[in-house]
Amino acid sequence: MSIELRDATKRVGAVTHVKPTSLMFEPGHFNVLLGETGSGKTSLIKLMAGLDPCASGQILIDGRDVTKLRPQLRNISLVHQFFVNYPHFTVFENIASPLRVAGLAKSEVDDRVAEVARLLQLTPMLARYPQELSGGQQQRTALARAIAKDSRVVFLDEPLANLDYKLREELRDQLPEILAGRGSVVVYATSEPEEALLLGGMTALMHDGAVIQYGPTAETYRRPANLLAAKVFSQPPINVAAVSKRGSRAELDGGVAWDLTGAAAALDDGTYTVAIRPNDILPESTETASVPMTGQIQITELTGSESSAHFVTGENNWVSLSRGVQTFEVGEQRQFFLDPSRCFYFAADGAYLA
């Protein structure tokens, strides 16, 4: 089982929504589409699902060309972030509806509905109608309908985006387990890098209608193909600055400096771009985060479990993201500590160097 794109494109009038894309999605793990809103994730999913036509190129499911095949004949399931349920059907009937259309025997319909209802904790709600459910229960009903259908391909387009935090965490943990081993290709779109890391599998980074990198999620995170890929796979936005390399030393504006090792030390002397994620600049020194940098705090934010501080050192703006509640004061001079082992180095054109 697989779904393959061969130079597939989507255009609306003169505007290209999906640039030539060649990818192979396979079962056994989550295939994540990661990119900010407007990057082309939904457009790519609609292209694969057959909801929008290909302007050029091909789409194949299990080696069969389905480029011009209607969505109803592709044996796919699609769940949007804005869940859709039939208001005049009970939860049971909502889940069972695609199975009845497929002509399955009543006993098999009953068994499949019971199985997915148990997995998604919907068993007590099977006799209720959508308007009697919470938003989270309605989204779980939409997910259950997609899973029960046992489609060859399951598309999940930011399915947890409109749920409360606790339910999102629960479903995020459950979905890989629920969908694992079913033999289907799962393609999951998200705008959150943290969600991609939690889901694992394979990740395609998207920007401006193009896939700019694709590979195992952890590897894609740790080794971005270029500066743009590093920016896409970072939230809050990755810190970027010019760095001067002289011998085995790197120096930033403001006098921040550290010793280079490995591939970075082997680069020619000169000026490069360095990028480091906010969670690798900390308010306290650690064994690895040991390079001091002092700056004036401009903005502070507290999310409950994490604290962030925006500060200025020399001519550069930086963001630090740390666990727990930190005491930051706007306007104060504060010392932070950079982890040089987590720095990425890029050429002037954005190509990854070390």
Side-chain angles (χ1 to χ4, degrees):
M1 170 56 61
S2 65
I3 180 166
E4 181 182 3
L5 296 96
R6 295 180 180 173
D7 289 323
T9 66
K10 174 189 171 183
R11 286 194 292 271
V12 177
V15 180
T16 299
H17 287 230
V18 176
K19 296 173 182 176
T21 300
S22 295
L23 279 176
M24 173 78 81
F25 295 118
E26 297 180 330
H29 49 70
F30 266 64
N31 297 280
V32 180
L33 300 179
L34 173 63
E36 62 184 14
T37 300
S39 62
K41 303 185 301 294
T42 297
S43 292
L44 188 59
I45 281 179
K46 286 183 175 180
L47 205 61
M48 292 187 286
L51 298 175
D52 291 333
C54 273
S56 60
Q58 291 178 291
I59 297 172
L60 296 89
I61 295 180
D62 242 7
R64 178 192 175 199
D65 190 343
V66 298
T67 309
K68 297 182 179 179
L69 202 63
R70 288 180 294 142
Q72 298 89 333
L73 301 177
R74 296 191 186 195
N75 191 14
I76 62 165
S77 294
L78 172 59
V79 179
H80 296 280
Q81 67 182 86
F82 302 104
F83 48 81
V84 177
N85 292 306
Y86 302 111
H88 56 292
F89 281 1
T90 63
V91 170
F92 181 98
E93 291 298 334
N94 263 284
I95 299 171
S97 58
L99 307 180
R100 297 201 193 287
V101 170
L104 271 63
K106 181 180 182 304
S107 59
E108 188 171 356
V109 171
D110 292 346
D111 288 345
R112 284 207 201 174
V113 172
E115 179 191 7
V116 295
R118 177 182 57 79
L119 289 170
L120 288 166
Q121 301 174 30
L122 288 169
T123 303
M125 296 98 175
L126 287 175
R128 298 183 191 177
Y129 289 87
Q131 61 267 28
E132 301 174 302
L133 305 177
S134 68
Q137 290 164 347
Q138 291 193 51
Q139 183 66 313
R140 277 187 281 162
T141 300
L143 283 166
R145 185 169 61 248
I147 293 167
K149 188 179 175 183
D150 206 18
S151 303
R152 292 186 295 174
V153 184
V154 179
F155 297 111
L156 303 170
D157 189 6
E158 302 198 52
L160 311 183
N162 294 316
L163 303 183
D164 64 72
Y165 179 82
K166 185 174 184 297
L167 184 58
R168 289 181 70 181
E169 292 296 297
E170 290 177 0
L171 284 178
R172 192 182 278 155
D173 290 339
Q174 293 169 0
L175 279 174
E177 180 181 348
I178 291 169
L179 293 168
R182 301 183 75 90
S184 300
V185 176
V186 181
V187 180
Y188 186 106
T190 180
S191 58
E192 299 184 18
E194 182 182 9
E195 190 164 61
L197 287 169
L198 288 169
L199 292 169
M202 305 284 286
T203 290
L205 303 180
M206 294 201 68
H207 176 78
D208 193 27
V211 173
I212 58 174
Q213 186 172 353
Y214 177 64
T217 299
E219 182 181 324
T220 302
Y221 179 77
R222 295 185 185 124
R223 190 182 174 90
N226 48 50
L227 181 57
L228 182 55
K231 289 179 177 179
V232 170
F233 214 151
S234 183
Q235 184 60 40
I238 199 165
N239 295 293
V240 178
V243 62
S244 296
K245 194 262 183 186
R246 296 288 181 272
S248 62
R249 292 283 283 177
E251 185 171 346
L252 299 170
D253 183 60
V256 179
W258 62 90
D259 291 324
L260 295 168
T261 59
L267 294 173
D268 293 337
D269 285 0
T271 301
Y272 299 94
T273 297
V274 66
I276 184 165
R277 294 188 174 100
N279 53 298
D280 293 316
I281 299 177
L282 304 176
E284 304 292 340
S285 177
T286 69
E287 185 176 344
T288 55
S290 57
V291 176
M293 53 194 311
T294 300
Q296 184 180 54
I297 294 180
Q298 307 294 306
I299 301 170
T300 69
E301 296 174 289
L302 179 63
T303 63
S305 61
E306 295 178 319
S307 302
S308 69
H310 299 240
F311 64 98
V312 175
T313 297
E315 297 296 320
N316 296 315
N317 295 305
W318 300 92
V319 180
S320 164
L321 181 67
S322 53
R323 297 289 182 184
V325 178
Q326 306 291 335
T327 304
F328 298 127
E329 295 292 337
V330 173
E332 74 167 320
Q333 291 288 325
R334 177 70 181 258
Q335 193 169 55
F336 294 87
F337 297 87
L338 177 149
D339 182 350
S341 68
R342 304 303 293 270
C343 288
F344 302 109
Y345 301 89
F346 301 94
D349 64 358
Y352 174 82
L353 296 173

